[in-house]
Amino acid sequence: MYASIPAIAAVAAALFVQGTSAVAANPLPKPVDITWGTSGSFSVKSLSYDGPAHPVVQDGYNRATKKIWDLKWSPAATEAPPRSFEPFPTPTAKSRKAKRTTRHYGNLNSNSTLTKVKVTVADLKAPLQHEADESYTLDIGEGSEIIVITAQTIYGALHAFTTLKQIVINDGTGTLIVEQPVSIKDKPLYPVRGIMIDSGRNYLSVQKIKEQIDGMELSKLNFLHWHMVDSQSWGVEMNSYPDMTLDAYSDRETYSHECIKDIIAYAGARGIRVIPEIDMPGHASAGWKQIDTEMMSCIDSWWSNDVWPLHTAVEPNPGQLDILNNKTYEVTGKVYKEIAEIFPDNWFHIGGDELHMNCYNFSSLIATYFESGKTMGDLYQYWVDKAIPNFRAQANKTFIMWDDVVLSPDAAASGVVPKDIVIQAWNNGPENIFNLTRDGYRVIVSSSDFMYLDCGFGGWVGNDQRYVVQVNPNKTDGSPNFNYGAGGGSWCAPYKTWQRIYAYDFTLDLSAEQKALVQGAIAPLWSEQVDDTVISSKLWPRAAALAELLWSGNKDAAGNLRTTELTQRLLNFREYLVANGVMASPLMPKYCLQHPHECDLNLDQEALWVKPTPAA
């Protein structure tokens, strides 16, 4: 038998009472361990700082407290169980209607006043590098006047300030409060938690890049993967080869060393690493061809040839570095060295995706190489064996490469790819993650089926006959096709919703040893259809769902998926992002924000839980 709607609502209400304290503050990402008291609220009228005289800590504290006073944030969406609904199909049965009321939080008569934030940081000199300790505690004891924060490093302290901003709220009368005593012990599950921006396909202004960094700080993301250039444009000013920026979109759409350093400093002050990507040897045309066209291949070919088996690139415009031309290694070494010296991070992304054999048919050196019986895998191995030592000689960093170098069915390197290279897995979801970790590689998860934020917006290449269809050719059987129910030209459709991202179990079937090799995840936003006008709405708030997945996971203490619990937290956080100047997209009609769980597909709040199989 099916449970009645009132019975389901009763169960949901019971779960709410058991699992959630009666406070409006609902910080995102959810802390690993947060315990609210019950003795009553604290007023917050002014706060003094008692902590280390460290510029990053003090500036972070000042930014946080200024934002608390400036916003006087009142939660826009609060958690509550679903209301009761009249059972189908009785048309006259009465239901409990949700009433619009003025929201008040706390007890309106605070018994204590918070006056001080005491901050203790164990190591003020820890560098902002991979696996820096980001843990913190935040405690407000019953009757206390002090907010006590402890952290191992300044980055944990910054995260504590971020949490503090979300738990100091406007009680509805204009008074700032913390609703109850609270104890938080918090640290991230993964050291790499990030997004990828792409300024190669369309230019992104410094202001908009900083806006994304603001969103990252608010959601405790710590890794900005910056895909700086691509075959379409080269906007990075180079002292070694000044003519490369002749292939910028304009003189105004470039990045000087000074502005790059400004972005790095802005991010670093918020505990965020910035890792550049210079994609090589594929996706290479703009910039490189200004140095020497002899070290290039297929830059003047037609990218698709209108016959896909002859394509030289997956998108216009084509171009790859000639792997057998010695000039390639002189130039790439100098370019890498100059950019590596700008970025203080110990990691550097050298690309390595989507190499196409057809492109190399335009190189006489490589054509001869293939005629001798060598394969595309042999050619890629030649690049690995020669380029990696060359880069290390210029600046010895930890390299990141796309998973093509190990697992591409068409072009994977045929020999040994060093195990100290971190592999960014973007193909085949859990399968590639499993295979890479099985073979001993550290992995960053960026599975396109779950995390590509540019997917689902249709195709963008012009002069495309596939759209000239007036009648659904599959109308009879209803099966999807290009214009009716399928991708409409987006190769990675459908759109990746926040629920798709949050529910991703990317360590599925991994052993404990394999799980230890997963460093975290990055959600890429490729910019063929992205510039300043839409970048924030395409990244946010979906990236915040990833932030919680990577910080505290997506399951409760019983191992149940907590998507339904995240709903109101994320809807509130979207409003919070906008209030902080990050132009995040709405996820649902505002009605849903104001009526908890009335926009759920299932009234049963356990619908996503893994239910035990009944005994036979």
Side-chain angles (χ1 to χ4, degrees):
M1 291 180 61
Y2 293 102
S4 67
I5 289 178
I8 292 174
V11 169
L15 290 169
F16 170 75
V17 170
Q18 293 169 7
T20 309
S21 299
V23 294
N26 195 1
L28 186 153
K30 184 177 182 176
V32 171
D33 185 346
I34 179 169
T35 304
W36 292 96
T38 58
S39 60
S41 59
F42 303 80
S43 63
V44 183
K45 295 180 180 176
S46 66
L47 291 171
S48 64
Y49 173 78
D50 177 7
H54 188 286
V56 173
V57 180
Q58 287 183 301
D59 289 350
Y61 171 82
N62 291 335
R63 283 197 313 273
T65 51
K66 183 178 187 301
K67 190 63 69 173
I68 288 170
W69 307 128
D70 289 350
L71 283 186
K72 288 186 165 28
W73 175 253
S74 185
T78 55
E79 183 57 276
R83 66 181 176 89
S84 298
F85 295 89
E86 63 184 53
F88 182 85
T90 309
T92 58
K94 294 182 178 180
S95 62
R96 177 170 59 85
K97 300 293 185 182
K99 295 180 180 180
R100 293 295 301 276
T101 59
T102 302
R103 292 176 175 173
H104 295 289
Y105 305 118
N107 55 18
L108 299 183
N109 291 297
S110 301
N111 299 319
S112 302
T113 300
L114 296 170
T115 60
K116 182 189 293 186
V117 179
K118 180 176 177 56
V119 181
T120 303
V121 178
D123 182 358
L124 291 169
K125 296 182 179 180
L128 181 58
Q129 296 291 353
H130 183 58
E131 294 187 327
D133 192 311
E134 299 176 84
S135 65
Y136 71 92
T137 68
L138 189 157
D139 290 282
I140 304 173
E142 181 177 344
S144 178
E145 297 179 354
I146 303 175
I147 301 167
V148 179
I149 290 171
T150 68
Q152 289 300 304
T153 68
I154 60 178
Y155 317 113
L158 294 174
H159 292 319
F161 300 151
T162 295
T163 300
L164 181 63
K165 285 189 290 187
Q166 294 190 55
I167 65 173
V168 177
I169 65 172
N170 183 340
D171 71 351
T173 70
T175 300
L176 290 175
I177 64 167
V178 175
E179 295 164 275
Q180 296 288 353
V182 65
S183 177
I184 300 173
K185 297 178 178 63
D186 208 10
K187 64 179 181 179
L189 289 173
Y190 294 98
V192 173
R193 309 179 308 280
I195 56 175
M196 190 214 76
I197 59 173
D198 169 12
S199 58
R201 275 52 179 258
N202 280 301
Y203 177 79
L204 301 171
S205 70
V206 173
Q207 177 185 357
K208 273 296 174 180
I209 292 174
K210 287 182 176 180
E211 185 177 315
Q212 310 322 306
I213 293 170
D214 291 341
M216 295 177 71
E217 179 191 23
L218 292 171
S219 56
K220 299 188 176 76
L221 292 172
N222 72 340
F223 195 107
L224 180 62
H225 171 180
W226 185 0
H227 185 90
M228 302 187 79
V229 297
D230 213 285
S231 61
Q232 292 90 347
S233 77
W234 185 287
V236 180
E237 292 184 3
M238 301 296 300
N239 295 330
S240 51
Y241 298 105
D243 285 351
M244 293 185 85
T245 51
L246 292 174
D247 286 335
Y249 286 126
S250 71
D251 292 343
R252 295 178 294 102
E253 294 170 295
T254 60
Y255 303 101
S256 67
H257 288 202
E258 290 70 27
C259 88
I260 293 170
K261 290 175 181 177
D262 177 52
I263 290 169
I264 294 168
Y266 189 88
R270 289 153 179 79
I272 295 165
R273 303 163 62 195
V274 184
I275 287 75
E277 180 189 353
I278 304 298
D279 203 350
M280 302 174 280
H283 289 272
S285 176
W288 303 106
K289 71 176 186 283
Q290 294 295 340
I291 302 170
D292 187 349
T293 56
E294 292 299 311
M295 66 176 201
M296 308 304 300
S297 187
C298 82
I299 56 174
D300 292 320
S301 68
W302 176 244
W303 71 281
S304 78
N305 283 290
D306 299 325
V307 180
W308 189 245
L310 302 179
H311 72 284
T312 56
V314 293
E315 65 180 50
N317 54 312
Q320 294 174 181
L321 295 168
D322 191 325
I323 291 173
L324 297 184
N325 189 317
N326 288 331
K327 183 70 174 288
T328 296
Y329 300 94
E330 173 192 336
V331 172
T332 56
K334 288 181 179 179
V335 169
Y336 163 75
K337 184 175 188 294
E338 182 171 337
I339 295 175
E341 288 175 348
I342 301 172
F343 287 82
D345 202 278
N346 290 336
W347 287 22
F348 194 107
H349 203 308
I350 54 174
D353 63 321
E354 296 182 327
L355 283 179
H356 293 284
M357 185 172 183
N358 287 344
C359 178
Y360 284 132
N361 288 327
F362 290 79
S363 162
S364 59
L365 287 173
I366 296 177
T368 302
Y369 181 82
F370 287 151
E371 288 172 2
S372 73
K374 298 293 187 179
T375 67
M376 192 66 193
D378 296 330
L379 183 67
Y380 203 167
Q381 189 65 49
Y382 186 97
W383 167 262
V384 169
D385 291 343
K386 193 162 184 175
I388 300 301
N390 184 43
F391 294 148
R392 292 197 200 282
Q394 312 302 322
N396 190 14
K397 299 203 175 196
T398 295
F399 297 125
I400 309 170
M401 296 184 74
W402 295 103
D403 64 11
D404 308 52
V405 67
V406 177
L407 296 177
S408 169
D410 302 314
S414 59
V416 176
V417 176
K419 291 290 172 45
D420 60 357
I421 294 177
V422 180
I423 305 297
Q424 191 164 359
W426 69 281
N427 288 294
N428 301 322
E431 179 184 346
N432 275 21
I433 298 165
F434 181 92
N435 291 337
L436 289 164
T437 55
R438 176 202 60 203
D439 294 341
Y441 290 100
R442 287 181 292 171
V443 170
I444 296 171
V445 177
S446 292
S447 304
S448 57
D449 290 336
F450 294 84
M451 293 182 177
Y452 268 33
L453 301 182
D454 54 295
C455 298
F457 289 92
W460 57 270
V461 294
N463 196 29
D464 190 339
Q465 75 283 358
R466 294 173 297 175
Y467 294 103
V468 188
V469 178
Q470 313 304 325
V471 177
N472 184 353
N474 298 345
K475 183 177 180 179
T476 301
D477 64 20
S479 58
N481 58 77
F482 188 86
N483 290 298
Y484 297 87
S490 172
W491 71 270
C492 55
Y495 179 89
K496 313 310 175 193
T497 70
W498 67 268
Q499 293 183 81
R500 176 68 170 168
I501 296 166
Y502 191 67
Y504 188 18
D505 184 359
F506 52 77
T507 61
L508 183 68
D509 296 331
L510 300 188
S511 68
E513 292 77 13
Q514 288 175 282
K515 288 179 181 179
L517 292 169
V518 177
Q519 304 300 295
I522 295 169
L525 179 65
W526 299 104
S527 74
E528 287 90 345
Q529 296 174 290
V530 175
D531 63 8
D532 275 12
T533 61
V534 297
I535 181 172
S536 295
S537 62
K538 288 192 175 185
L539 274 170
W540 304 101
R542 289 184 292 162
L546 177 68
E548 177 159 310
L549 174 66
L550 298 172
W551 183 275
S552 56
N554 60 7
K555 294 178 181 176
D556 63 20
N560 296 309
L561 194 63
R562 65 184 190 205
T563 303
T564 189
E565 178 193 322
L566 176 63
T567 304
Q568 289 297 103
R569 182 159 58 247
L570 188 59
L571 292 176
N572 175 68
F573 192 75
R574 182 266 170 178
E575 303 299 314
Y576 188 64
L577 284 167
V578 173
N580 279 276
V582 180
M583 296 295 99
S585 175
L587 295 174
M588 300 179 181
K590 198 167 187 176
Y591 174 92
C592 310
L593 178 151
Q594 296 175 342
H595 298 81
H597 302 293
E598 293 197 28
C599 299
D600 290 357
L601 179 65
N602 297 287
L603 180 57
D604 180 1
Q605 298 296 286
E606 299 181 16
L608 276 61
W609 292 10
V610 177
K611 305 294 176 63
T613 303

